[in-house]
Structures are given as structure tokens and as C-alpha cells.
Amino acid sequence: MNGALIGCGFFAQNQLHAWRDIEGIEIVALCDVDANRLQTTADSFNIAKTYTDAADMFAAGGFDFVDIATTVPSHRSLVEMAAKAGVHIICQKPFAENMDDARAMVKAAEVAGKTLMVHENFRWQSPVQAVLDVVNSGEIGEPFFCRVSFRSGYDVFTGQPYLAEGKRFIIEDLGIHILDIARALVGDVDRVSATTRRINPNIKGEDVATILLSHTGGATSVVDCSYATQRIPETFPQSLLEIDGSLGTVRLDAGYQLSVHTKTDTSRDVSPTLLPWAEKPWHNIQESVLSIQQHFVECIEKGVEPQTSGSDNLKTLALVEAAYESAERGTTVTLVD
Ligand code: NAD
Ligand code: 89V
């Protein structure tokens, strides 16, 4: 398949590397409103067709799917344009600024009969997949408690300055991944309770969030995120996991150490692969970019819905909205279908 990519910024470079690694895929067109970024990226990845206006790119056509790698304000209009142009769509997280936009985007792709997947890559990290395999194997029995923890003091603002500017920060940008991991591990959620804090005075949004989830299957999760935590060793960008089940516990500890405690105790190193174009400490995320993009291609080839489809992501996005609502009101929020 031929693809086009919109938004040649900080993270798109990883996506372009990963597309190059997938057999049978070629990115034939690039778009960015910033002509300098567009040209630099086109030169790096040797892509001939460049556009500063997405409408012109869709009008010219010549590709089967589009990868939307812009920040959230442009997602709805670009997804709707892509659906109208009749191409498959992969769109970066956060999928949309609100639930109404997200539902409209899912509807647009449905009407067009095209695949719409959200680039919700954290559950695709190989250490997280290793824990999912243990949980899904039944080895620890029925999960009743889950903790997904992401605590760091890493400076994310230099690479992504917009993260310091928004009214919302950690839940919308990072918590969304961590909530999605909790859903992948122990299922959908019906009640959410959250607190937030802003510790760093130089940013506008919250940089600490602690969220309690009641899952419809009966498990309880604690999702805790912080970019205000000084720790040694610094664990960015690792999600640390702990799932207790009726037969045992599985843990993913710092340094990608996975342990399973049942009648016997086992532990192993599940460190991610350092791809040739990747760089520590981002290699965990970079490897997951390749995995999720491979999943997108496989789903289109097989005609099946991606695990992190637009429609699936409505449930993760609803948790983000519920967490903000709970923190603001100081109450537990019950989710309705
Ligand atoms: P960025 O600001 O560095 O890049 C975005 C680019 O999009 C810019 O070059 C901008 O000019 C361009 N752009 C914006 N609107 C456009 C439009 N309408 N048409 C064409 N170009 C347009 O941002 P980033 O840090 O690369 O983040 C992009 C997205 O990726 C965000 O939604 C962010 O949350 C997400 N992200 C995801 C991960 C992950 O692991 N999944 C990691 C980092 C960032
Ligand atoms: O993965 C992300 O969405 C990034 C970061 C890891 C910095 O939160 O924005």
C-alpha cells in the first residue's frame, strides 16, 4: 500500500522510520503547514510529493491510507477529509478534543467504509504485551487488582513544548496511554474517581494524576501518573504494572523485569529491542510504533477491526473525560454507554 503522512513534527519521524521498516509499504506524500519542517522531513526520508495544504494532497490522491501525526486540534477535520477521500486512516492520540468530535470521526470512517485506527501505541510496547500474554493465559487466574504506574521527572517539554501550554496536560497526553493499558489488561470501566495536582509552576496543566477505576468485570485499578517525580533510576518512559489474580501476581518492574508469582516464582528480562533508528530511553515507545503500524497494515489486509480502532478508543477517551470531571467535581463519575 501507498501512504501519506500529515504533520512532520517531533514524533512523526519515528512513524516514518517505522513505515520504512514495513515490507510492502511506501510513504509517497507528506504534508505540513510548516514548509521548512516539510522539506527537511521530505529530504530525510526521500519523499518527492510535498504539500502545505492537506486538501491539496487529498485532491491529488495516489495513496491508500493516511497517517495523521498532527496535534489534536486538527484531528477531526483531517479525519473527515480523509474519510471523504476514501482512504484508510491511522490517527495519533489524543484522538479528539472531546467525545462529540471523536464520535463524528468514527461515524465518518464508518460511512466511508474505511479502517480508522488510533495510534494508541503504549499497549503495543513489547514489555506490556508480555504482561498481557501472562494475564490472557489464565496463569494468574481471575484478575482482581491492577496498578499501572508512570512516574517520572523526565523533561518532556523541550521536545514537545505544546505540552507546557495546554490547560490539560498529563491525563490528556500520557494518562490516556496508561488508562488504555488498564483497559487492555482488565477490561472496560464503569466508575472513575480521580485527583490531580500541578507541581511544576512553569506549565499550565496538571502534571500529577491519581485515578481509581472500577472495571465492569469486577477488578479495581489504580492508574497513577506523574511528571513531577524525581527518582533514581529515572524510569521514563516505562509503565510499571502489577496485576493480582486469584491464582497469583504478575509484575513489570523498573528495568523491564517481569515476574510471575504463583505456586512457583519466575522472573525474566523483557527489555524492548533497540531498533537501528531508535534511541534510549525512547526505544520502548519507538519499538511500539513499529508494532502498531504493522498491526494497522495486517488489519487492513485481513479486513478486521484493529485492537485500538477509533471505536475502541472512544472508551479510552471517555475515561480521560471522566477523570477530569471527577477531579474537578471531587466526585466519582459513573460511565454510561
Ligand atoms: P509537533 O508539534 O512536533 O508536530 C506536529 C506537526 O503537525 C507540526 O509540524 C505542525 O506544523 C503540523 N500540523 C499541525 N496542523 C496541521 C495541519 N492541519 N496540516 C498539516 N500539518 C499540520 O507535535 P508532536 O510532538 O510530533 O505530536 C504530534 C502528535 O503525536 C500529538 O497528538 C502527540 O500527542 C502525539 N504523540 C504521540 C506519542 C506516542 O507515543 N503515541 C508520542 C509523542 C507525541
Ligand atoms: O507518548 C506520548 O504521548 C508522549 C509522552 C511520552 C511524552 O507523554 O507525549
Side-chain angles (χ1 to χ4, degrees):
M1 287 193 295
N2 287 340
L5 180 139
I6 310 177
C8 302
F10 171 77
F11 202 70
Q13 312 303 312
N14 298 314
Q15 293 166 225
L16 287 165
H17 276 294
W19 289 126
R20 244 182 2 192
D21 284 357
I22 304 176
E23 214 184 300
I25 297 296
E26 192 182 347
I27 299 298
V28 296
L30 284 182
C31 171
D32 200 299
V33 289
D34 180 326
N36 288 332
R37 277 187 168 186
L38 178 65
Q39 201 48 53
T40 310
T41 308
D43 292 344
S44 302
F45 290 90
N46 199 19
I47 297 166
K49 290 187 185 158
T50 55
Y51 302 85
T52 50
D53 185 337
D56 292 342
M57 188 178 82
F58 285 115
F63 49 90
D64 309 289
F65 73 90
V66 66
D67 185 357
I68 299 172
T70 59
T71 46
V72 68
S74 52
H75 287 179
R76 178 172 175 175
S77 64
L78 293 174
V79 163
E80 287 178 340
M81 240 186 253
K84 247 190 204 153
V87 298
H88 300 294
I89 306 157
I90 172 168
C91 177
Q92 258 300 346
K93 50 59 66 177
F95 184 39
E97 289 182 299
N98 55 60
M99 292 304 295
D100 285 347
D101 281 359
R103 286 192 203 98
M105 290 151 78
V106 169
K107 184 86 195 152
E110 259 171 31
V111 169
K114 293 291 162 185
T115 296
L116 168 59
M117 185 174 99
V118 180
H119 191 124
E120 180 41 79
N121 54 325
F122 268 42
R123 67 160 82 176
W124 289 98
Q125 291 170 7
S126 55
V128 174
Q129 287 288 316
V131 173
L132 269 165
D133 286 347
V134 172
V135 171
N136 293 337
S137 74
E139 193 178 350
I140 62 158
E142 187 65 30
F144 61 85
F145 174 82
C146 169
R147 178 171 179 173
V148 190
S149 181
F150 186 109
R151 313 192 73 76
S152 171
Y154 187 85
D155 167 27
V156 288
F157 307 107
T158 301
Q160 297 166 263
Y162 58 91
L163 294 178
E165 296 303 321
K167 191 169 156 258
R168 291 176 164 190
F169 168 41
I170 201 167
I171 301 177
E172 181 180 83
D173 179 68
L174 183 273
I176 198 167
H177 292 305
I178 308 307
L179 291 163
D180 190 69
I181 292 177
R183 278 191 59 231
L185 285 166
V186 286
D188 289 334
V189 173
D190 52 18
R191 270 177 302 148
V192 177
S193 180
T195 61
T196 57
R197 288 284 306 273
R198 178 169 59 87
I199 303 299
N200 180 345
N202 302 315
I203 66 170
K204 296 206 175 96
E206 82 292 349
D207 52 4
V208 177
T210 311
I211 308 171
L212 185 69
L213 305 174
S214 297
H215 294 264
T216 52
T220 302
S221 289
V222 177
V223 162
D224 59 294
C225 309
S226 166
Y227 272 127
T229 299
Q230 305 306 323
R231 64 193 312 183
I232 297 174
E234 169 56 71
T235 47
F236 179 88
Q238 298 175 45
S239 302
L240 308 185
L241 312 179
E242 182 165 9
I243 300 100
D244 291 345
S246 51
L247 301 176
T249 290
V250 56
R251 282 212 323 263
L252 179 64
D253 291 320
Y256 304 109
Q257 297 306 305
L258 186 151
S259 55
V260 182
H261 306 284
T262 52
K263 281 185 183 144
T264 53
D265 295 333
T266 57
S267 57
R268 60 195 159 103
D269 187 324
V270 290
S271 294
T273 306
L274 179 64
L275 294 169
W277 47 267
E279 205 182 352
K280 288 185 178 181
W282 285 85
H283 62 303
N284 180 26
I285 291 179
Q286 288 164 318
E287 185 196 33
S288 73
V289 169
L290 176 58
S291 302
I292 195 171
Q293 292 180 189
Q294 273 166 335
H295 178 65
F296 176 70
V297 172
E298 280 163 20
C299 288
I300 292 171
E301 281 169 0
K302 292 182 186 153
V304 297
E305 185 179 333
Q307 285 185 37
T308 53
S309 64
S311 136
D312 175 82
N313 200 258
L314 293 178
K315 295 181 188 169
T316 296
L317 206 56
L319 299 186
V320 169
E321 292 300 334
Y324 280 116
E325 189 184 333
S326 168
E328 198 178 313
R329 292 198 190 165
T331 56
T332 297
V333 172
T334 301
L335 291 152
V336 280
D337 281 339

